[in-house]
Every structure is written in structure tokens, then in C-alpha cells.
Amino acid sequence: MEGQQLQQVLNPHRLKSLQEWMQKSSITLTQVNGQRKYGGPPPGWQGPAPGPGCEVFISQIPCDVYEDRLIPLFQSIGTIYEFRLMMNFSGQNRGFAYAKYGDPVTASAAVMTLHHYRLPEGGSLTVRKSTEKRQLRLGDLPASTNQGELLTVLRMLSDGVEDVLLKMAGPKGREVVALVNYSSHYAASMAKKVLVQAFRKQYGISITVKWMSFSKSKHVAETGEDDCFTPPALNPLPKSSITPPHLHPQPLLHDVSAHPPVQPFFRAVGGPAGRRDETMPQAPVNHDAVSQLQWICELHRLGNPQYEVRFHRISSDGFLCFSFKVLVPGLLFPLCGVIQILPGTSIQAMKAEVYRAAADQVIQTMCKVLNLRPF
């Protein structure tokens, strides 16, 4: 019975029509986390990506209607920058899609022209401006969550993270929540699909992830699912809870001992503080960041930097994503961050590039905090 229902849903004639259209039009569709996407940008696109207000939300799509009918229909209004049809594992669409145009005027024209458009297959489409939500709410975070470390982790696990703000919420103001801003609705929706499982798998933490909505009452989201969130009264975390990682009493995702708030920022290694060898180390001839960091550490008697690098994933645009931790013996805390590099010709070349990128970030941090100049 289930096989007959699936065969009925996946109309072979409609699937054949889709394949023939793709071959004839040279259209490429990419399946990504439950979405089948065209463009973003499409071939021949010139200029920057469209800004806010350029996307429309399409719902009430019959389950056997695909891109061969939808894309030409919405392209009749104007050039489409991106089209995303939501799919499930059976191969049928989920009844809704997004079309992004080059400007808000064309998007508005699509709404006025195609809202309640009757399809030959039966039924009529609902078309309205997309809300393009870009902010996620992460709940049930540990009380020891650190804002800087959480930002690093989110950038390892998802693309497009711009910033993070920790807040106290809940009836008694005791729940730690994070408001995460993404660069686009697409980036936020992709993150929403993977973050719960990623936190549970990699860190053993069960969190909740919801869309952040600033409406005064709860409403149904574009997906037809009640996944929006009406924010309670939010209070900023106490300053002691959002201090830099080296002063935080219980780091969230690092298995390292907490450092007491000892001053000064760094301690001398190999001799009393303030004493320097009469022979100063010479600045490196090679301006490579690794050599430069080594020279800075020798100059300030901080010891030899030690690198710890971990590969995490390949981003949607082909970059290799790494996290790093550099331990400088003379500093009171390890310096951590995230790196993205393009694939190289060899493992050694990529390893060298990761070390250079890590050293460059560490140098920038040290120079900013210690008010140093590399040369």
C-alpha cells in the first residue's frame, strides 16, 4: 500500500518532464539539506547578491509540481537570482518554495501578478513577500556559556554567522539563550537544520533552536510550522558572564582548566619579569606569520608557541573549515579561533596555510591586547 502511495505521489510523467526540461534548458539543480536550489547566483549573473526585500515566499504548491513549471512561471516576471524548492526524502516537494529577484520592485510585481495564480494541474499558488528571517534563538544553553567561545563554535558548525548576543530569559530570568545573526535567511535556515544534532554529537549538549520573531503574538511561520518564537523579557547577562574567554570561570566547550583573573596579561618565561637579554632577537627576514609570531614571542620572552589544529567540515562554498588553539607559555590562556582555506595541492601545503592563518590571527590579538607592534 505504501509503495502504491509513493508511486502515486512521484508521478513518473512529471519526473520525466522535469528531466527533459533540465536537459533542454541546461538548468542545474542542487540538493542541499532538504532544499533543491537553482542559482544563487545563476549563470551569467553580474553584480552583488540581492539585498533584503527581494525574495518571495510561495506556498500551496501541489506535491507533483516541480521546477520545470515553477521557475519559468516566476522568471516571466523578471530574472531570478535564486529559486529554492523544499523537498522531503520521498522525492516530493513539501508544498512551498522561495524565489529571489534582483530588486524589491520585481519581487513586489511577482506578488501582485502571481498571488492566487491557478495552475493547470489544479489549485492556486499563494505568493507573498518573504520575511527573510536571519536570527536564530538558541535555548537551554549551559549556565557557563561564554559568548566568545560560542561564536567560535557556531562559525565552525555553520556558515554565515555574523554575531552572537547572550541573554538571560525565562520566567525567573535564569535561562541562558543566544541570539545569533546570520548573513542571509538561507544561511540561517541551513544552520537551523544542523545545530541541534551537531551540539549533541560533538559536545553532548541538548539545545533548542528556533526562529527569532519580534512580533507581539505567536504566529505560523512561512513553512507552515509553528516554529516562531515570541521573545520574553530579556535581560543582559551579568558582566562576569560575558567576559573574555581567559577570564571566564567555566569555558563551555574547551576541556581546559579555568584561569584565575591574574594580572598582568602575560608572565615572563625564563627569568624575572621585566628583564631582557642584552642580545635582542633579530626580526625575521621572512615576513611569514609563523616566523613573525615566533619572533614576537622571543622578543617578549613568552616561550615557543604550540599549535593545535582540528579539521571540522567543508563549507557550502568549498572552503575547508578548521579550528585552532595556540598555546603561548607566557600567556595566561590559549588563543583560539576559526580558519577557512581553499583546498591546496598537497596536505603539507594546506597545513602550512592553516598554520600561517592561525599565527596571523594570534598576532592580531596579541598586538591589540598588549598594544604591541609586530615590527
Side-chain angles (χ1 to χ4, degrees), residues 323-337:
S323 64
F324 70 84
K325 180 168 68 175
V326 177
L327 177 62
V328 178
L331 299 183
L332 297 177
F333 58 92
L335 299 172
C336 307

Side-chain angles (χ1 to χ4, degrees), residues 209-231:
V209 180
K210 299 180 180 180
W211 289 112
M212 189 67 184
S213 173
F214 293 97
S215 62
K216 293 184 179 180
S217 61
K218 219 172 184 184
H219 60 279
V220 177
E222 292 170 345
T223 61
E225 301 170 359
D226 193 8
D227 63 353
C228 289
F229 171 73
T230 303

Side-chain angles (χ1 to χ4, degrees), residues 148-293:
E149 291 181 344
L150 180 60
L151 177 61
T152 298
V153 167
L154 289 172
R155 285 177 172 170
M156 289 189 295
L157 299 177
S158 59
D159 294 327
V161 179
E162 292 187 336
D163 55 64
V164 175
L165 177 63
L166 288 182
K167 296 280 189 177
M168 297 298 294
K172 297 182 179 180
R174 295 179 179 178
E175 181 188 4
V176 179
V177 301
L179 309 183
V180 188
N181 290 310
Y182 283 85
S183 58
S184 67
H185 173 72
Y186 177 74
S189 63
M190 291 297 99
K192 185 174 181 290
K193 294 177 181 292
V194 302
L195 286 180
V196 171
Q197 183 178 0
F199 269 79
R200 184 182 298 116
K201 180 179 179 180
Q202 296 198 28
Y203 306 111
I205 300 174
S206 295
I207 67 170
T208 60
V209 180
K210 299 180 180 180
W211 289 112
M212 189 67 184
S213 173
F214 293 97
S215 62
K216 293 184 179 180
S217 61
K218 219 172 184 184
H219 60 279
V220 177
E222 292 170 345
T223 61
E225 301 170 359
D226 193 8
D227 63 353
C228 289
F229 171 73
T230 303
L234 296 177
N235 301 312
L237 283 174
K239 291 185 178 180
S240 59
S241 298
I242 54 174
T243 48
H246 62 288
L247 297 181
H248 197 274
Q250 297 178 0
L252 170 60
L253 302 174
H254 293 284
D255 186 18
V256 295
S257 300
H259 297 285
V262 180
Q263 298 295 333
F265 176 80
F266 64 92
R267 59 178 182 272
V269 173
R275 290 187 57 184
R276 302 288 178 90
D277 294 335
E278 294 181 0
T279 304
M280 300 293 290
Q282 295 183 351
V285 177
N286 182 3
H287 283 232
D288 176 89
V290 174
S291 302
Q292 190 173 344
L293 177 59

Side-chain angles (χ1 to χ4, degrees), residues 13-305:
H13 299 291
R14 294 294 304 116
L15 293 176
K16 182 179 179 181
S17 175
L18 174 64
Q19 293 296 329
E20 291 175 348
W21 172 77
M22 290 176 62
Q23 293 176 2
K24 182 179 179 179
S25 60
S26 300
I27 289 288
T28 299
L29 302 177
T30 305
Q31 184 91 19
V32 182
N33 289 338
Q35 302 185 20
R36 200 157 63 194
K37 186 177 77 165
Y38 159 75
W45 180 270
Q46 296 182 352
C54 298
E55 188 174 72
V56 299
F57 172 67
I58 312 152
S59 59
Q60 306 300 319
I61 302 173
C63 62
D64 60 349
V65 171
Y66 299 107
E67 291 88 346
D68 59 319
R69 297 293 179 90
L70 297 171
I71 289 180
L73 175 62
F74 282 84
Q75 276 186 333
S76 67
I77 306 300
T79 302
I80 291 178
Y81 173 81
E82 180 182 76
F83 189 92
R84 297 182 286 126
L85 180 62
M86 305 300 115
M87 307 293 295
N88 60 29
F89 291 108
S90 71
Q92 69 179 111
N93 75 63
R94 295 174 57 193
F96 64 99
Y98 296 87
K100 180 173 288 188
Y101 293 95
D103 57 80
V105 175
T106 308
S108 298
V111 173
M112 291 186 291
T113 306
L114 298 177
H115 185 52
H116 295 318
Y117 178 86
R118 296 193 65 83
L119 295 166
E121 295 81 3
S124 60
L125 300 176
T126 297
V127 183
R128 63 177 185 266
K129 278 290 191 78
S130 171
T131 57
E132 298 185 73
K133 299 186 293 290
R134 301 184 181 190
Q135 190 176 63
L136 295 180
R137 176 192 185 270
L138 277 57
D140 295 332
L141 294 169
S144 59
T145 300
N146 173 266
Q147 186 165 292
E149 291 181 344
L150 180 60
L151 177 61
T152 298
V153 167
L154 289 172
R155 285 177 172 170
M156 289 189 295
L157 299 177
S158 59
D159 294 327
V161 179
E162 292 187 336
D163 55 64
V164 175
L165 177 63
L166 288 182
K167 296 280 189 177
M168 297 298 294
K172 297 182 179 180
R174 295 179 179 178
E175 181 188 4
V176 179
V177 301
L179 309 183
V180 188
N181 290 310
Y182 283 85
S183 58
S184 67
H185 173 72
Y186 177 74
S189 63
M190 291 297 99
K192 185 174 181 290
K193 294 177 181 292
V194 302
L195 286 180
V196 171
Q197 183 178 0
F199 269 79
R200 184 182 298 116
K201 180 179 179 180
Q202 296 198 28
Y203 306 111
I205 300 174
S206 295
I207 67 170
T208 60
V209 180
K210 299 180 180 180
W211 289 112
M212 189 67 184
S213 173
F214 293 97
S215 62
K216 293 184 179 180
S217 61
K218 219 172 184 184
H219 60 279
V220 177
E222 292 170 345
T223 61
E225 301 170 359
D226 193 8
D227 63 353
C228 289
F229 171 73
T230 303
L234 296 177
N235 301 312
L237 283 174
K239 291 185 178 180
S240 59
S241 298
I242 54 174
T243 48
H246 62 288
L247 297 181
H248 197 274
Q250 297 178 0
L252 170 60
L253 302 174
H254 293 284
D255 186 18
V256 295
S257 300
H259 297 285
V262 180
Q263 298 295 333
F265 176 80
F266 64 92
R267 59 178 182 272
V269 173
R275 290 187 57 184
R276 302 288 178 90
D277 294 335
E278 294 181 0
T279 304
M280 300 293 290
Q282 295 183 351
V285 177
N286 182 3
H287 283 232
D288 176 89
V290 174
S291 302
Q292 190 173 344
L293 177 59
Q294 180 70 34
W295 175 77
I296 291 175
C297 291
E298 291 179 1
L299 179 66
H300 296 279
R301 304 174 63 84
L302 299 176
N304 294 324

